[in-house]
Amino acid sequence: MGKRVLAMKSVICVDVVPQSYDIAIAPGGLDDLGVWMSRLKLGKKVLVVSNPAIFRRYGESAIAGLKLVGYDVSSCTLPPGERYKTLNSLQKIYDAALKHPLERSSTMVALGGGVIGDMTGFAAATWLRGINVVQVPTSLLAMVDASIGGKTGVNHPQGKNLIGAFHQPRFVLIDPQVLKTLPPREFRAGMAEVIKYGIIWDAELFAKLEEAKRLDQMRYVNEELLSLILSCSCQAKADVVSQDEKEAGLRAILNYGHTIGHAVESLTGYKVFNHGEAVAIGMVAAGEIAVKLQMWQSDEAKRQNALIEKTGLPTKLPGGLDIDAILDTLQTDKKVKEGKVRFVLPTKIGVVTITDQVPSDVIRHVLQQMQP
Ligand code: GLY
């Protein structure tokens, strides 16, 4: 574990067994993808997986860089969006792997957001019983969360990420310059996870975010703050994953805001809110629950909610959402253990605890207060 800052670049190590790996945060680094990867001594064959829009923008330079250092590269693109995160899309990656053909020493490169990262990771986990994957995230959400930690998978019609595997990448390359083309709403979605790290792990990051005048669009975030956002968030995720790779305990704190968030996301058919927006609502709810249980000071909860609002993320439930339906949906969450809903609750900014002792009347009361 630990962070080495190299001029403009920062390299963070994720310390997992049997093979630790680096996350490099390198402005303009996408052009040097081949150079970064050549340090890993991987086989010569590489399959770049992307979606058509991302591939049009960045595919050519990534592939040119890979070829320059001698890789034999092919590519495949998949339709964009969560609804294509299916076994069907996976087949396209396997077909491309067969055509190239990829060998045990070969590498899949995921060039895209969380959907591409999760699918490529899962394809790599299962192709020839496991080959290398390198994550090159292009959305803020994927940079600070999905690309790190080895959770991979696809959706089943009955639920998100029900089919999956842990498969750690060999390397993660984050080029902040690609964020310049990220739509503002997606930037805010990533910021929800960044705020999460401030609450669960890094009070200094939280304070820096509070100091910023505006956070609702990337163009108001200066280079220094963006670099801090990326390095602190990746460090937080790396620290947690290094201590608990398979979510035996600590890693569950990364689910802060996700309990109610997932219920809201699924009850609104994944159409009203994106993942970050739902997590923002979930963080407000979890914070208010912690206050109600006298675990967290209300002025700190107000600071959290003010930061979420400043980022342009929602803090209220959408109109017409039935509270009983939310309570029912909580029971089907992946985080339910022996019938009890587990919540990650803050005790102070930077520190959280996990509990399954939240009375349902407390959840109901908080949700009622959050109605528009
Ligand atoms: N996104 C939650 C985790 O990686 O554990």
Side-chain angles (χ1 to χ4, degrees), residues 26-36 57-69 136 173 175 177-178:
L30 191 59
D31 294 339
D32 300 327
L33 176 61
V35 178
W36 285 102
R57 273 196 194 114
Y58 306 114
E60 204 178 306
S61 59
I63 288 177
L66 287 165
K67 284 188 173 161
L68 204 65
V69 295
V136 186
L173 177 64
D175 180 349
Q177 278 177 11
V178 307

Side-chain angles (χ1 to χ4, degrees), residues 103-355:
E103 301 158 3
R104 293 298 298 272
S105 64
S106 307
T107 305
M108 291 188 189
V109 171
L111 175 67
V115 171
I116 289 293
D118 283 7
M119 277 199 292
T120 311
F122 188 66
T126 45
W127 186 251
L128 303 180
R129 299 200 182 87
I131 64 167
N132 306 306
V133 64
V134 166
Q135 295 281 351
V136 186
T138 56
S139 70
L140 181 60
L141 193 86
M143 287 177 182
V144 298
D145 184 23
S147 65
I148 308 162
K151 281 190 180 175
T152 71
V154 294
N155 300 331
H156 183 277
Q158 299 303 314
K160 271 181 89 171
N161 297 326
L162 289 182
I163 307 157
F166 281 100
H167 189 58
Q168 298 292 342
R170 294 294 308 276
F171 177 59
V172 182
L173 177 64
I174 294 175
D175 180 349
Q177 278 177 11
V178 307
L179 293 176
K180 288 191 178 134
T181 52
L182 190 71
R185 192 171 171 198
E186 277 197 52
F187 172 75
R188 292 193 283 272
M191 283 303 297
E193 300 284 352
V194 173
I195 294 170
K196 179 190 83 177
Y197 292 123
I199 296 287
I200 67 167
W201 199 254
D202 188 341
E204 274 178 47
L205 168 65
F206 186 90
K208 287 281 179 209
L209 297 173
E210 276 186 314
E211 280 169 24
K213 267 211 172 63
R214 288 188 70 165
L215 286 171
D216 52 325
Q217 287 191 42
M218 161 94 177
R219 63 193 166 106
Y220 300 121
V221 178
N222 64 38
E223 227 170 85
E224 195 187 336
L225 181 58
L226 180 64
S227 149
L228 186 108
I229 283 171
L230 289 171
S231 59
C232 291
S233 302
C234 292
Q235 186 70 60
K237 178 111 192 213
D239 285 349
V240 172
V241 170
S242 299
Q243 286 178 47
D244 177 21
E245 182 189 351
K246 301 266 169 75
E247 204 168 309
L250 178 74
R251 185 165 177 165
I253 69 169
L254 297 173
N255 296 327
Y256 177 56
H258 288 58
T259 311
I260 302 270
H262 276 159
V264 169
E265 233 182 330
S266 98
L267 283 171
T268 50
Y270 300 94
K271 287 193 182 98
V272 180
F273 298 114
N274 62 32
H275 178 67
E277 290 163 346
V279 167
I281 292 170
M283 290 194 290
V284 174
E288 297 301 332
I289 289 170
V291 171
K292 200 120 193 59
L293 296 176
Q294 299 188 325
M295 294 166 68
W296 201 25
Q297 287 177 1
S298 67
D299 60 329
E300 290 207 346
K302 283 194 184 113
R303 284 171 60 196
Q304 166 193 262
N305 299 350
L307 183 55
I308 292 172
E309 261 178 35
K310 182 171 77 175
T311 308
L313 288 160
T315 54
K316 293 266 179 225
L317 292 171
L321 201 58
D322 181 27
I323 290 182
D324 283 318
I326 301 181
L327 292 169
D328 283 351
T329 306
L330 292 180
Q331 293 299 328
T332 61
D333 194 276
K334 277 211 292 289
K335 291 174 280 301
V336 170
K337 208 173 170 186
E338 285 155 14
K340 288 186 170 163
V341 184
R342 268 192 310 164
F343 277 91
V344 180
L345 300 179
T347 52
K348 70 185 223 191
I349 289 172
V351 184
V352 284
T353 186
I354 300 174
T355 177

